[in-house]
Amino acid sequence: MIFVVIGGASGSGKTGLSQHLLTKLKQAGTSAQILNMDDYYREIPVGVDIAEFRKKTNFDTPDMLHLDLLKQHIVALHEGLSITKPIFDFKTNKRIGEETVHPSDVIILEGIFAQYFYKHYWSSELPVVTANVATDNYLDIIERRIKRDMKERERKREESTAQEQKNVGPGFLKYTASSSMGADVFVINENRDGADGQNLILDAAADEIIVEVEQKLAAQQVGSLEDKKPSPNAQELIAKSHLIAGTLFQPRRFEGHFSGVFGDFKGKYVREFSVREAEEITAPFKP
């Protein structure tokens, strides 16, 4: 058995990638299942009004999930035991049932805090491939998430927008982006027109993960592990994303405060783009 941990921002395409990976694995005769971290969210307290709960609660922190329970389930699956996991409904913020998950050749764990969970809760003896899904334009993620929340979670646009500004964006930088360094596979989920274009990206990413899985399993059999691939510069990726999105506080300048989470980097990260750099980076996204 091997685990595939897929993390990334809310709305980045983690679930789509997980489904593509699951389909490809099953087509190849490999048993696989998905564990969605969203099902481990904590329920709304009894007697609390749901509108007030959503308004006052920050869902974009790992403290909102039962991560200890998730760790127990991960270990149990690795030991060959079946688990009974909760099923969480975001429309009601309650559990609506349970589901039995059996051990498989590959267990796919996906969620916005998947990389955070891996770095803080993972047992070293558990074989794993880690993947992070990002985008070349953070505005794409915001719009995807808002549309998803409106359709699947019965949220209003203004409610989702306010949540993005107050909790989702800061939570992404603090927990999700900060945990992406060192992933085995780094996927840039570009915004493509139509389902076919998006499927091409996700198919290619799923193929890359499968290759990584095969290499990890082969390395285990011979008792050696290859050195990790060089990680992308996460600060630079975030700075470019904000430049493209047009969210810089000053023209061609990005400032981000990071607390020892991007490798050895700690403190204020400042990136100033020249006029030429800015034009080259933003040119593909201009109408």
Side-chain angles (χ1 to χ4, degrees):
M1 172 187 286
I2 189 169
F3 295 88
V4 175
V5 175
I6 300 179
S10 177
S12 61
K14 301 179 301 299
T15 301
L17 174 57
S18 298
Q19 292 293 343
H20 277 253
L21 178 60
L22 180 70
T23 299
K24 283 179 173 287
L25 288 169
K26 288 187 174 181
Q27 288 174 345
T30 301
S31 63
Q33 296 196 62
I34 295 175
L35 269 185
N36 191 324
M37 288 185 68
D38 284 353
D39 285 324
Y40 290 83
Y41 263 95
R42 299 182 185 275
E43 293 186 282
I44 181 174
V46 177
V48 174
D49 178 72
I50 190 168
E52 283 298 308
F53 180 69
R54 288 177 176 174
K55 184 177 180 180
K56 296 180 179 180
T57 303
N58 179 8
F59 294 93
D60 293 274
T61 168
D63 294 337
M64 283 299 296
L65 283 79
H66 292 282
L67 295 183
D68 288 331
L69 175 62
L70 176 58
K71 181 177 181 179
Q72 292 174 18
H73 285 175
I74 291 290
V75 172
L77 287 168
H78 181 251
E79 293 175 349
L81 303 174
S82 297
I83 64 166
T84 301
K85 61 173 283 295
I87 300 174
F88 190 83
D89 179 27
F90 277 98
K91 292 181 181 179
T92 61
N93 289 108
K94 294 181 180 180
R95 294 180 179 180
I96 57 174
E98 293 179 329
E99 177 185 19
T100 300
V101 178
H102 302 288
S104 303
D105 295 329
V106 179
I107 299 291
I108 304 166
L109 176 67
E110 70 103 344
I112 59 175
F113 300 120
Q115 295 284 2
Y116 176 90
F117 177 79
Y118 168 69
K119 292 202 169 183
H120 294 274
Y121 287 82
W122 204 260
S123 298
S124 59
E125 69 273 11
L126 301 182
V128 63
V129 168
T130 58
N132 189 78
V133 187
T135 181
D136 51 4
N137 186 345
Y138 191 66
L139 277 184
D140 290 341
I141 288 182
I142 296 174
E143 188 60 27
R144 289 177 198 170
R145 187 188 66 79
I146 290 175
K147 288 181 178 179
R148 179 206 63 193
D149 285 356
M150 292 172 64
K151 180 180 179 181
E152 300 177 9
R153 302 180 181 181
E154 299 182 348
R155 305 285 177 87
K156 297 179 180 179
R157 172 172 283 274
E158 55 269 25
E159 181 183 1
S160 291
T161 301
Q163 187 182 26
E164 166 68 36
Q165 295 172 341
K166 182 179 180 181
N167 296 323
V168 179
F172 163 73
L173 288 173
K174 185 174 182 180
Y175 300 112
T176 304
S178 66
S179 301
S180 67
M181 296 295 284
D184 296 308
V185 178
F186 201 89
V187 180
I188 300 297
N189 188 15
E190 299 174 355
N191 187 21
R192 296 283 183 88
D193 292 333
D196 290 341
Q198 204 66 41
N199 286 335
L200 286 174
I201 295 174
L202 297 179
D203 274 343
D207 288 337
E208 187 177 356
I209 292 174
I210 290 173
V211 169
E212 192 71 28
V213 166
E214 292 172 345
Q215 291 177 347
K216 283 283 182 80
L217 292 175
Q220 285 179 358
Q221 290 179 354
V222 298
S224 66
L225 291 175
E226 297 180 359
D227 293 335
K228 275 189 173 294
K229 300 174 184 177
S231 300
N233 185 324
Q235 302 104 308
E236 181 76 357
L237 287 173
I238 291 173
K240 287 182 178 180
S241 178
H242 279 259
L243 174 69
I244 295 166
T247 58
L248 297 177
F249 292 105
Q250 300 178 39
R252 304 190 309 279
R253 179 182 174 89
F254 172 84
E255 292 186 11
H257 295 267
F258 306 113
S259 301
V261 290
F262 291 100
D264 295 327
F265 185 86
K266 184 176 182 179
K268 179 189 290 186
Y269 179 77
V270 179
R271 176 68 160 93
E272 295 195 21
F273 298 94
S274 67
V275 174
R276 181 176 179 179
E277 283 180 316
E279 289 178 349
E280 290 177 348
I281 293 169
T282 59
F285 304 94
K286 292 181 179 179

